[in-house]
Amino acid sequence: MSKLFLEAVKARRTFYGLSKEIVVPADRIKEIVGEAVNHTPSAFNSQSSRVVVLFGEQSDKLWNITKETLRKIVPAENFAATEERINGFANGYGTILFFEDQAVVKGLQEQFASYADNFPIWSNQSSGMLQHVIWTALVAEGLGASLQHYNPLIDAEVAQTWQLPAEWKLIAQMPFGKPTSVPGDKEFMPHSDRVKFF
C-alpha cells in the first residue's frame, strides 16, 4: 500500500492543459472533497479548512472575475498573456476554492494564548495538506489540476458572488478537468542538499 501511495504522490503534477470533457462525475468529486476534508489533519483538531467546489458555469464565473480584476491592473500591452493563462484555467470543468475560517483561528488564539502566534501558521499548514490530498486524489482519478493564488485580489468579489462568510479567508484556487497535455520533466535537487539522516 505504501508503494501505491507514493506512486500517487509522484503522479501529482501541475496540469495547465485542461478540457471541459467530464471524465469523473461530479458526485465522485464531491465524495473525494468530503473525504479529504474529514481526514486531513489540523492543529488541535480545529477543522478550520473550508472548501467551495464550482462546477461548469460557476467555475467559468470565477475565472471571468479573475480576468476582469486583472484587466484593471495589468498593463494593456501585457494583458494578452495574462488572458491566455486565465482562459486555460477556465478550460477545465471545475474549480476548488480553499479557505481558512479566521473565526476558528481567532477562537483558538483566545483559548490558547501562549500559542496565539502559531495558529495562523498551523491553519495555513492544514490548508496546504488539504490542497495536496485533494490534488493527489483528483490526479489518481485521471483528472488534471493546478494550484493558483489570485487572492487577495479577487477575495471580496468571490465572497460577494457566492455569499460566503466574511471570516472565510481565501487561500488558493484549484482548476481541474480532463488533461490535454502532459507536464514536462521535473528536476530535483540532490537529497544531500535537502535531507539529513542521523
Side-chain angles (χ1 to χ4, degrees), residues 3-168:
K3 184 176 181 182
L4 291 175
F5 172 74
L6 289 174
E7 287 302 317
V9 169
K10 289 178 191 177
R12 185 229 44 85
R13 296 290 308 279
T14 295
F15 288 85
Y16 288 114
L18 303 173
S19 83
K20 292 187 183 298
E21 183 182 344
I22 297 175
V23 293
V24 177
D27 284 347
R28 176 61 181 146
I29 293 167
K30 292 176 186 178
E31 181 182 9
I32 288 168
V33 170
E35 291 291 305
V37 165
N38 281 348
H39 298 290
T40 299
S42 59
F44 288 61
N45 194 31
S46 60
Q47 302 179 51
S48 56
S49 293
R50 306 289 181 261
V51 176
V52 172
V53 183
L54 305 172
F55 293 103
E57 292 178 1
Q58 295 297 312
S59 179
D60 294 343
K61 189 184 296 185
L62 171 82
W63 295 111
N64 190 58
I65 287 169
T66 306
K67 186 181 349 182
E68 294 311 312
T69 300
L70 293 173
R71 190 186 304 276
K72 296 171 189 171
I73 59 174
V74 175
E77 62 271 17
N78 299 334
F79 189 69
T82 297
E83 185 172 32
E84 183 178 355
R85 185 173 178 85
I86 299 301
N87 288 344
F89 304 141
N91 284 340
Y93 67 85
T95 304
I96 300 171
L97 304 180
F98 295 89
F99 299 83
E100 283 293 304
D101 190 336
Q102 300 307 294
V104 173
V105 175
K106 184 178 178 183
L108 288 166
Q109 287 177 309
E110 293 170 353
Q111 188 176 357
F112 302 100
S114 59
Y115 296 112
D117 291 345
N118 288 323
F119 283 112
I121 298 168
W122 293 336
S123 167
N124 283 332
Q125 290 172 346
S126 180
S127 181
M129 286 187 279
L130 179 60
Q131 294 161 31
H132 187 260
V133 169
I134 291 176
W135 194 350
T136 302
L138 292 178
V139 172
E141 292 283 328
L143 293 165
S146 69
L147 195 64
Q148 306 304 318
H149 302 90
Y150 289 99
N151 42 291
L153 297 172
I154 62 172
D155 291 19
E157 194 166 354
V158 166
Q160 181 181 17
T161 300
W162 286 282
Q163 299 180 13
L164 302 174
E167 297 82 11
W168 288 21

